[in-house]
Amino acid sequence: MLTRREFLKLCTATVLSVSLTDQVIPIMRQAFAEGRLTKPPVIWLELGSCTGNSISLANAVNPTFHQVLTDLVDMRYSWLHNVEQGQAVVQTLLDTVEKEAGKFWLVIEGSVMTADNGRYNHVFMRDNQMVTGMAALQEIAPKAKHIIAVGTCACFGGPAAAYPNPGGAKGVWEVIKQPVINIPGCPANPDWMTGTFSHLIMYGLPELDNYNRPKLFFGQTIHDLCQRRQQFEDGIFASFPGESGCLYRVGCKGPITQADCPKRQWNHYVNWPVRAGAPCIGCASPGFPDSSMPFYNHLPSVQTPLGALNVKKFGAAAAGLGVAAVGAHLITGVVAKRVGKHWLDGTKPHESDPPENIEQLKQELDDLIRQQNALISESKSLERSQVKRKLPRTLRQKVVDFFRPGQKHRR
Amino acid sequence: MAVQTIFPVTRIHEPLRADVEVQDGKIVDAWLGAHLFRGFETMLTGRDPRDAALFTQRICGICSSAHAVVASMAQQQAFGVIPTPTGQQLINLIFAADIIQNHLRHFYVLVLYDYVKGPNMSPYIPRPQADFRLPPKVNDEILQHAKEAALQALRAHEAMAVFGAKAPMQQTIMPTGVTEQASVERLMAYSSILQELTEWVETIFINDVMIIADYYKDYYSIGAGYGNFMSYGMFPAPVTGERALKPGLIVNQGQVESLDVNHIAEEIRYSWYKDEQERRVLPDGRTIPNRDKSDAYSWIKAPRYQALPVEGGPLARGFINGDYRRGVSVMDRLVARAKETLKICRLAQGWINEIVPNTPSCQQFTPPDAGTGIGLTDAMRGALGHWMEYRHNKVTHYQIVTPTTWNFSPRDNQGIRGPVEQALIGTPVADVTNLIEAGRVIRSFDPCFTCAVHMLEMGNVHG
């Protein structure tokens, strides 16, 4: 059997040269046949979703969706595919929950609608009672072996939770107590889903970051992997989407978005936004879309120890200062509360547990830098008086403590 | 006889509850309720009008490009810009690929298992004990095609991503065109996929639909509905804006009339919304949820054209353009959809041939400080409209009316049924425990409740 290390290499390698299908599927098929592994029963529950992630999974190439159904998982319930309807399909769902308790995976697509006690979204009927999506999730989740949120909506609330969030949309992990594996993206790239599923079957839980995203797909920023990175370093910027040059000035959120789109690419690995001249909109970030709108406005000017750097000077300075400057600026932005109104009231990630040691704090701050960066909309459009709520104190305190001169936490 | 409830209706997009009253083996009354409210209504208020295309397409993952296309039309009007000729062609190509994908998946993923016995594995089992009429050999052959169709649909999305960067949720459509270049290499990539698709649709897809139509002939007389059709047309030509598929209105299978969007109003008597006025003419709508409203049974409002419930989709476009006028029924909808797929494949090939490689696919623009715009186009399932108004570079009002709100509207203020509710009337039912016949009628409309969760109105806020 493939070692875990080899598998990780496969997943992170440039997909064009090696395919998950060729290497993994035969191994799995053999393992299933020999009874070393079992096909996990899967309940795919759609809540406040647009079905985009189901469609994206159907766009999977290595392996294809058909192979996912035949060779990877046992898709017991997915209302997009079930042949039965009404009472019969509800029975299938309930039977799976009862008989496969502790074994089945619960995949959630779409955000949890919590307004009006969840009554904005009903998902099935049992004994003549309408069951809300929120209630179904809370009832089924404790019995699941793994809970996987696919798409930014299910992970963090996503577009459904955009300010003012009238439906009370929330990410799955804000609603249940069990650990959730988050596979964000709008939609999630099919490889992120099939890769995570494969890892779960063969080696169990993949390594996750602070936002519970598998590090193997969300470990680096778009900016770090970008084909146009050299143009950023050289100070060659596009002045309008569609032009050549780095798209930073026309709104690219690549520097603060963690995903491997540049090397993985989309739809049979044929294209991805920046290659097509469109700025990254940060769809895999917690806080999307509020944190990255306006989509075509650049990230704010950078405050550095050397003074303010605006975007025009950025290219020249970037080579000297590196991306760390972007991070430093963000922290300042967060402290100065120069954060977007939409961000404060709308889509907002769940706060992770307080750090236990310096390493963890550093890791968290690294993440914070990347994530919080997104939340700053252009400063001129922001009047402080309009800021309705302060950031959670713990978060702000963490940042301030970290940067207070003379503190032991200082890097 | 008691009212039978199907919830959830499966193999559609997002939650639909169907209540049907069956008497003497026939459906005599029906109520259709959508059960998801995400309330996008106020979300666009205060946002940058340039973001409308990318934001609104998040409403729906199946027809994402449709929202981007129509939002960019509204932006064009509001900003006073037009796409470059090549840009317009590329927008059309992106949209065409998405529609081909949608039509293939609708038939082979959603509709097929109403007529064909699926493979013996989850999620295709358990299956209802109902009338599956195909001989085993034909059944197996079509199942084999379903596997191929999955790959063809994936290829269609690949073609969409060639110019759209990714699918679903393309990212390149701008008011003035597309950010991707019309390079020879890109055009070749699209063209070769398209050629493959055209061939497959022509030789296999249409044939499969005709085989099923042959074994289920009675469905040519089931699911008629009102015979009122509406289409905004689609695929504007560069510069002239003339649409490859024409807009129009047909009342009770009569003559094609011209359409005036000022005659559209929405009614909320049976929808979970409160408003002192139960009927409002577009674009002056409001959306205040009230889940406790008695009598109401859906999150969808009831849009009406001069008080008429109208149907949209490939059959409506077929009637209006004269491409398909055999009749109005479940089977006619499926056949019209398959034929339209082929027509769109051929249209797309024509546009590729017209594109001059490496000409500008997009141009710079600066939006004026304020503006209003209306975008209208047909999407996969019917008429889709966006109404946008902005001031000081912030959206002040945004309204969307989606196709499924037309097709799956509940009763209006006068108690007149929506088009699908009406189409269900008279459907024979063999077994009230599975109601597969009702499912067949419903699925022929290609329902999608992600976008129909209701109309989206972004209320008036002075920005």
Side-chain angles (χ1 to χ4, degrees):
Chain A
M1 189 156 152
L2 211 64
T3 67
R4 186 169 169 274
R5 180 179 291 272
E6 284 164 342
F7 174 81
L8 293 185
K9 228 168 140 184
L10 264 182
C11 284
T12 47
T14 322
V15 256
L16 291 171
S17 57
V18 273
S19 100
L20 206 57
T21 321
D22 296 348
Q23 312 255 353
V24 177
I25 293 287
I27 298 170
M28 274 204 219
R29 202 174 281 168
Q30 198 188 349
F32 286 141
E34 291 168 8
R36 282 185 286 124
L37 295 174
T38 45
K39 263 169 81 169
V42 169
I43 293 174
W44 186 292
L45 198 58
E46 284 187 51
L47 303 178
S49 101
C50 73
T51 316
N53 294 288
S54 293
I55 300 287
S56 187
L57 186 62
N59 283 341
V61 180
N62 292 317
T64 63
F65 182 63
H66 185 76
Q67 285 170 316
V68 170
L69 290 185
T70 54
D71 295 330
L72 216 59
V73 300
D74 188 4
M75 188 76 82
R76 299 284 180 86
Y77 182 84
S78 158
W79 71 23
L80 189 61
H81 299 285
N82 281 113
V83 170
E84 290 270 23
Q85 62 185 12
Q87 205 44 53
V89 81
V90 176
Q91 202 52 49
T92 304
L93 169 68
L94 299 176
D95 286 351
T96 309
V97 173
E98 195 182 319
K99 289 178 190 153
E100 307 284 355
K103 285 185 238 159
F104 70 88
W105 297 0
L106 178 63
V107 181
I108 306 287
E109 177 177 359
S111 41
V112 190
M113 311 310 290
T114 62
D116 198 3
N117 202 20
R119 289 200 305 157
Y120 285 10
N121 176 212
H122 287 107
V123 289
F124 60 83
M125 197 165 81
R126 176 175 49 194
D127 307 330
N128 286 322
Q129 294 291 316
M130 297 292 275
V131 179
T132 67
M134 186 167 76
L137 172 64
Q138 285 166 336
E139 182 186 326
I140 298 173
K143 295 179 182 149
K145 184 177 183 193
H146 296 295
I147 300 159
I148 305 163
V150 296
T152 304
C153 285
C155 297
F156 310 116
Y163 178 84
N165 194 358
K170 285 187 175 170
V172 172
W173 69 349
E174 293 178 80
V175 178
I176 58 170
K177 294 188 184 75
Q178 288 74 26
V180 178
I181 301 166
N182 284 330
I183 310 175
C186 188
N189 189 306
D191 285 11
W192 302 340
M193 296 188 258
T194 54
T196 307
F197 295 169
S198 311
H199 195 290
L200 277 171
I201 293 169
M202 299 203 296
Y203 315 103
L205 209 61
E207 203 185 342
L208 304 177
D209 71 4
N210 272 3
Y211 287 101
N212 282 8
R213 299 174 295 192
K215 278 189 178 167
L216 87 150
F217 301 114
F218 301 96
Q220 280 174 288
T221 62
I222 299 260
H223 190 62
D224 285 345
L225 300 167
C226 188
Q227 294 94 337
R228 299 195 185 195
R229 176 58 185 266
Q230 191 55 46
Q231 290 158 316
F232 172 82
E233 305 287 353
D234 295 345
I236 303 167
F237 291 102
S239 60
F240 197 78
E243 294 178 357
S244 60
C246 171
L247 296 167
Y248 181 84
R249 275 173 66 178
V250 290
C252 185
K253 307 298 186 291
I256 50 154
T257 304
Q258 284 170 292
D260 62 2
C261 302
K263 65 177 180 184
R264 183 164 309 282
Q265 309 210 24
W266 286 78
N267 301 91
H268 218 162
Y269 321 119
V270 74
N271 212 344
W272 77 284
V274 173
R275 176 173 167 186
C280 166
I281 59 171
C283 74
S285 293
F288 174 80
D290 288 338
S291 64
S292 50
M293 288 176 88
F295 294 136
Y296 300 106
N297 281 8
H298 64 75
L299 292 165
S301 298
V302 176
Q303 300 292 335
T304 72
L306 306 175
L309 274 177
N310 64 26
V311 69
K312 286 177 194 124
K313 295 191 236 162
F314 202 90
L321 288 167
V323 219
V326 180
H329 154 65
L330 280 184
I331 300 291
T332 335
V334 173
V335 175
K337 293 196 274 283
R338 292 203 295 110
V339 284
K341 164 183 152 216
H342 284 147
W343 169 267
L344 287 174
D345 292 313
T347 323
K348 168 163 77 67
H350 171 88
E351 207 183 329
S352 40
D353 293 333
E356 282 163 12
N357 55 44
I358 295 176
E359 277 313 301
Q360 213 175 330
L361 178 71
K362 274 187 182 170
Q363 156 74 31
E364 226 174 271
L365 278 166
D366 273 353
D367 287 346
L368 195 72
I369 285 166
R370 296 196 178 100
Q371 307 307 339
Q372 302 293 46
N373 197 338
L375 40 103
I376 300 166
S377 51
E378 217 180 16
S379 45
K380 66 177 177 190
S381 69
L382 190 101
E383 291 163 47
R384 283 188 192 188
S385 58
Q386 283 184 343
V387 175
K388 285 183 186 157
R389 216 171 66 210
K390 292 177 181 173
L391 274 177
R393 204 173 129 233
T394 52
L395 187 74
R396 203 175 74 238
Q397 205 55 45
K398 228 184 278 174
V399 174
V400 174
D401 285 350
F402 188 75
F403 274 86
R404 191 174 292 152
Q407 280 280 340
K408 58 177 178 178
H409 285 165
R410 181 150 191 180
R411 273 194 288 197
Chain B
M1 275 289 275
V3 172
Q4 306 288 328
T5 304
I6 318 173
F7 186 60
V9 178
T10 51
R11 279 176 289 119
I12 61 166
H13 304 290
E14 290 307 297
L16 170 70
R17 171 176 167 162
D19 291 280
V20 292
E21 190 177 341
V22 182
Q23 257 176 30
D24 308 327
K26 275 194 171 173
I27 293 176
V28 294
D29 209 345
W31 298 262
L32 296 172
H35 279 266
L36 170 63
F37 172 80
R38 288 182 296 169
F40 271 72
E41 63 269 24
T42 48
M43 288 181 192
L44 256 164
T45 302
R47 289 175 200 259
D48 192 320
R50 291 174 302 165
D51 290 348
L54 293 188
F55 187 80
T56 56
Q57 73 174 345
R58 259 71 203 179
I59 294 162
C60 179
I62 305 97
C63 54
S64 55
S65 65
H67 283 281
V69 167
V70 73
S72 73
M73 287 174 176
Q75 288 172 328
Q76 283 155 18
Q77 233 182 56
F79 300 164
V81 297
I82 57 160
T84 64
T86 306
Q88 182 63 63
Q89 303 279 37
L90 294 186
I91 292 176
N92 288 348
L93 288 176
I94 291 173
F95 196 18
D98 209 8
I99 296 174
I100 296 165
Q101 171 268 148
N102 176 81
H103 286 2
L104 284 170
R105 288 206 168 121
H106 173 254
F107 184 74
Y108 285 102
V109 177
L110 308 180
V111 163
L112 195 68
Y113 303 105
D114 275 337
Y115 305 95
V116 171
K117 279 186 180 176
N120 287 321
M121 63 173 205
S122 308
Y124 307 106
I125 48 167
R127 78 175 75 87
Q129 298 299 314
D131 78 321
F132 292 109
R133 306 176 196 169
L134 300 186
K137 190 162 169 282
V138 181
N139 197 90
D140 289 351
E141 203 170 281
I142 294 186
L143 276 189
Q144 190 55 39
H145 292 165
K147 268 195 221 174
E148 290 171 28
L151 299 177
Q152 295 298 329
L154 177 161
R155 292 281 278 165
H157 253 173
E158 184 184 339
M160 175 176 162
V162 165
F163 292 114
K166 73 198 232 290
M169 311 293 173
Q170 65 70 40
Q171 207 157 312
T172 60
I173 294 179
M174 307 279 289
T176 54
V178 165
T179 63
E180 181 58 276
Q181 307 298 315
S183 64
V184 175
E185 165 251 343
R186 298 265 108 179
L187 288 166
M188 289 293 290
Y190 189 103
S191 174
S192 61
I193 297 171
L194 183 66
Q195 203 173 352
E196 200 182 299
L197 283 170
T198 313
E199 212 167 283
W200 201 86
V201 167
E202 193 170 8
T203 55
I204 300 186
F205 180 24
I206 292 184
N207 203 24
D208 282 353
V209 177
M210 296 320 289
I211 289 172
I212 286 181
D214 209 39
Y215 281 95
Y216 293 85
K217 279 201 181 78
D218 44 338
Y219 281 84
Y220 275 121
S221 52
I222 293 173
Y226 292 112
N228 299 337
F229 298 116
M230 184 173 98
S231 166
Y232 292 150
M234 61 211 308
F235 304 127
V239 190
T240 62
E242 197 186 326
R243 301 192 170 200
L245 295 175
K246 305 272 175 279
L249 174 81
I250 288 180
V251 178
N252 197 12
Q253 296 192 51
Q255 294 300 307
V256 183
E257 302 166 29
S258 63
L259 192 71
D260 180 358
V261 287
N262 297 317
H263 291 148
I264 298 172
E266 8 165 85
E267 308 188 348
I268 58 160
R269 171 86 181 76
Y270 291 96
S271 315
W272 285 307
Y273 300 103
K274 59 181 169 199
D275 192 348
E276 63 274 19
Q277 235 175 295
E278 288 197 325
R279 176 176 189 278
R280 282 184 186 273
V281 178
L282 286 185
D284 175 36
R286 307 221 175 138
T287 302
I288 306 155
N290 174 19
R291 186 60 178 75
D292 293 313
K293 186 168 165 181
S294 56
D295 293 353
Y297 59 93
S298 183
W299 284 113
I300 299 181
K301 294 183 184 178
R304 292 290 183 266
Y305 187 89
Q306 286 180 328
L308 286 174
V310 295
E311 172 182 342
L315 183 61
R317 292 192 286 266
F319 263 87
I320 289 165
N321 288 280
D323 297 330
Y324 187 91
R325 285 181 175 159
R326 204 215 65 91
V328 185
S329 67
V330 170
M331 244 353 122
D332 287 311
R333 285 186 198 99
L334 299 184
V335 176
R337 189 172 286 109
K339 297 206 160 159
E340 184 184 82
T341 314
L342 182 61
K343 179 171 178 171
I344 291 175
C345 286
R346 293 198 171 129
L347 282 172
Q349 192 56 54
W351 301 325
I352 291 185
N353 296 340
E354 285 169 24
I355 292 177
V356 183
N358 298 321
T359 44
S361 55
C362 159
Q363 64 190 19
Q364 293 213 13
F365 67 92
T366 313
D369 194 45
T372 52
I374 303 176
L376 303 170
T377 183
D378 254 36
M380 297 70 169
R381 305 166 170 75
L384 170 64
H386 282 207
W387 284 255
M388 177 169 91
E389 191 183 325
Y390 77 97
R391 255 171 301 169
H392 309 304
N393 286 315
K394 297 232 189 298
V395 172
T396 51
H397 188 81
Y398 207 103
Q399 184 165 12
I400 301 176
V401 184
T402 62
T404 302
T405 53
W406 286 100
N407 290 340
F408 282 79
S409 87
R411 283 155 171 74
D412 60 23
N413 294 356
Q414 287 70 44
I416 312 256
R417 293 182 199 98
V420 185
E421 289 179 339
Q422 181 66 25
L424 280 165
I425 307 298
T427 303
V429 169
D431 180 356
V432 289
T433 60
N434 67 46
L435 290 167
I436 189 170
E437 299 85 355
R440 285 169 179 164
V441 175
I442 289 170
R443 285 180 199 104
S444 72
F445 284 86
D446 194 1
C448 165
F449 293 90
T450 60
C451 52
V453 290
H454 68 291
M455 288 141 237
L456 317 165
E457 287 113 35
M458 290 58 182
N460 285 300
V461 168
H462 301 279

